[in-house]
Amino acid sequence: MEQIKDYIATHKDRFLSELVELLKIPSISADTAFSQDVLETAKAVEKSLIDAGCENTEICETKGYPVVYGDKIIDPDLPTILVYGHYDVQPPDPMELWESPPFEPVIKKTELHPDGAIFARGACDDKGQMFMHVKAVEFMIKNDQLPCNVKFMIEGEEEVGSDSLADFLEDHKEKLSNDIILISDTGMMANDVPSITTGLRGLSYVEVEVTGPNRDLHSGIYGGAVPNPINVLNKMIASLHDENNHITIPGFYDKVEKVSDEERAEMAKAPFSLDAYKKALDIADVQGEKGYTTAERYSIRPTLDVNGIWGGYTGEGAKTVIASKAYAKISMRLVPDQDPEEITELFTKHFESIAPKSVKIKVTPHHGGLPYVTKTDSVGYKAAAKAYQATFGKTPIPERTGGSIPIVALFEQVLESKTILMGFGLDSDAIHSPNEHFGVWNYLKGIETIPYFYKYYTEMTS
Amino acid sequence: MEQIKDYIATHKDRFLSELVELLKIPSISADTAFSQDVLETAKAVEKSLIDAGCENTEICETKGYPVVYGDKIIDPDLPTILVYGHYDVQPPDPMELWESPPFEPVIKKTELHPDGAIFARGACDDKGQMFMHVKAVEFMIKNDQLPCNVKFMIEGEEEVGSDSLADFLEDHKEKLSNDIILISDTGMMANDVPSITTGLRGLSYVEVEVTGPNRDLHSGIYGGAVPNPINVLNKMIASLHDENNHITIPGFYDKVEKVSDEERAEMAKAPFSLDAYKKALDIADVQGEKGYTTAERYSIRPTLDVNGIWGGYTGEGAKTVIASKAYAKISMRLVPDQDPEEITELFTKHFESIAPKSVKIKVTPHHGGLPYVTKTDSVGYKAAAKAYQATFGKTPIPERTGGSIPIVALFEQVLESKTILMGFGLDSDAIHSPNEHFGVWNYLKGIETIPYFYKYYTEMTS
């Protein structure tokens, strides 16, 4: 990949300004008020593919938001890399915690990003990381260095569960046929500690509603005599973890793959400072399942977290009410070989069974996703490792991460391809949080590294 | 009290329309957006006192919302009755559950109110019940049947803790000097089962905040490894009741007066149908402290209820976040001789002590109130009982209720007077809830009954 560094240096400002323009559009898929913006973003992505030199670009209709497609087929006998990304973003709330508006990108220097980082919702997840691929392919096409075929599949519903994707893949299997899938929607351990994500957790997500009395009640007249749905919900949720932070849902751990002692020892070698971890989050102590390290807790062990809870009076001042209803959003991260639909069913059955007779329970499942693990002896992994080696000067560490990308398992099922997760973000990029950002250095490093993957993958599969 | 029934029959429509006009003004003391409405309501109350024949009316400034004063002094040697009420109302939310707008009063017939009930926020608590006293005094003055002196003290902050009242009482002790205080802000057991409230619970109210990580986190990357403030808050709140629904805060029950077996046996004689109670609330089971009946649980036992809880993502759809903070509003109803300030301190100390090291806790106290019990052998109680006997044809049942009226203990401390609680509302009036209402029959019955109290009290103290 000669001249990649020069190309980046020459076009750096344009690479940044194009990304900034894309980040300005509030493509919030979770909120229908922004549907026009989401569609506008799809158009902008299609245009960027055309400008990069792709062909056959298309904004493909789905049941929901469209998938943007584009390709460059140079020789049907060469391998085909399919690039997946998403152009939709997480909701930005809570707004008041952003230091600059989430859809008015600014580049600011920080301690971890002395070259500056782009602050905006979607800067890292996923517009910044998706756009690295567009720029990398632009380099390869414009400099006649594309070694194989490439196809792009950029969707607009990842943050809300990619509901339309399964059907889209089924309907366009031929068009999307490929040898390997490339995704940048994960991170590295540090700018000087490259890593490749080899494991993703699965996801089961439910919403629960507890109903007590049929109306809000005066807590003096009725307090102590009637079920208080908030207190009941608290008891029920509290019971889901025992004193060792082990989840108490019957059958929950039955299919959890036991990770070997050797693999755990390997994992333990990865650089990790518990002090730095606690300091970055400003917590006096970590907290998790007894018998496991922090890194194990967020990667190879399943979890249960309340993502949101509400009920009763939450406004200014005091109101002495017993609410009729209390609600919570609860998600569970899963590991191989847990199945999200089975886990959701186990949760529902158990939650309904522990409810006192005095209340009514409703459990509504949301989207889920299968866990996924990539073997480090695969061609795809080796090509990626070699690419990082070329640009970072060191071997990347294979890392099982805590996040979920449910469609990775879907890709394997429908398109029968493995996925390589080449991430360039950092945990401190605050994805899903206020003040999300993406390092300028990381962005450019990704653009530099990705073409090496194409080179090595093509070489290794010839 | 001759002609009281005729007077009511003659002026019934005016009595209703005047109350309706008062109910239209949204005097929500908890929300500063409505401060003009609160002040306008004070003026309307003053005018109603003038129209009733009161003198020396005044809108008295305080640190907060004003107290409306008025009197009719006929002879300094006669007893003086001081009428307390409040012109502010609870916030109406949740708005979407009101069948008619909370500040657009309508009179509708219901099963319990075949003569109709006025539906509006404040219809019962407290404008309707307060206005009964204005109309009762109007009758007595206009028909030259006022047997003793009367003073009115109607405040505008009861729903937010009456913060300015203590100072107001201290500053105007002379002006407010009286022999007995009359309040209508409680209920009766049923329209055909008159009762007088002889006990009020006290109140301790706190707001808690649990902080985990210093920002919202991605629940995949961090889930299982860090303290989740919502899960932690749930565990902490759940631990406040044991399996017998007994509150676990150390020292909480130390000063609770043991109610004698005789008194409990007396209480048990009052009409109460557990089936009807459950049916009205549409719950399959009641829930409360083991070893006590439902009526005991809401009257002679202290309680702890979560009035509101929130944290994390509560909007549409799914968001996989670990919130940085979780919050709850918690109140405790108290019984003699628990002290609200001491209880708040016990709660705070205990709550901070059970928090894991991984989170930070903040406890903010809100207004509280002392519990109160009236002796049934007092002159005031006997006069009230005789008044109900005169208009209902049966002896009222003395009833200890669950609600709190913190200023009753304050009155005893500062003005050195007892309070008689002559209530005409029903539990089903849904005070503090959507669709609050007050029976037309109850409103008029109160206007009819109150003058008899004046008569008998004056007779019994001569």
Side-chain angles (χ1 to χ4, degrees), chain A residues 272-288 294 297-298, chain B residues 210-217 222-229 232 322-325 356-361:
Chain A
F272 179 79
S273 160
L274 188 59
D275 279 347
Y277 190 84
K278 292 190 290 187
K279 187 159 178 285
L281 303 174
D282 196 20
I283 50 177
D285 214 357
V286 285
Q287 192 166 309
T294 288
R297 288 169 177 169
Y298 65 59
Chain B
V210 179
T211 303
N214 56 4
R215 59 180 166 89
D216 289 357
L217 299 177
Y222 291 93
V226 300
N228 181 328
V232 170
I322 290 174
S324 171
K325 292 178 183 285
K357 198 176 108 183
S358 54
V359 298
K360 302 182 190 77
I361 302 295

Side-chain angles (χ1 to χ4, degrees), chain A residues 37-47 59 66-68 87:
Chain A
D37 298 292
V38 179
L39 297 172
E40 195 191 316
T41 311
K43 292 204 187 101
V45 171
E46 189 197 22
K47 182 175 184 306
I59 293 183
V67 176
V68 183
Y87 61 85

Side-chain angles (χ1 to χ4, degrees), chain A residues 279-306:
Chain A
K279 187 159 178 285
L281 303 174
D282 196 20
I283 50 177
D285 214 357
V286 285
Q287 192 166 309
E289 199 185 359
K290 189 170 176 184
Y292 295 91
T293 64
T294 288
E296 291 175 331
R297 288 169 177 169
Y298 65 59
S299 63
I300 62 171
R301 296 301 292 169
T303 70
L304 185 147
D305 276 294
V306 180

Side-chain angles (χ1 to χ4, degrees), chain B residues 50-68:
Chain B
I50 294 170
D51 291 348
C54 288
E55 291 158 356
N56 300 313
T57 67
E58 195 185 338
I59 293 183
C60 311
E61 293 291 314
T62 73
K63 292 194 327 276
Y65 287 124
V67 176
V68 183

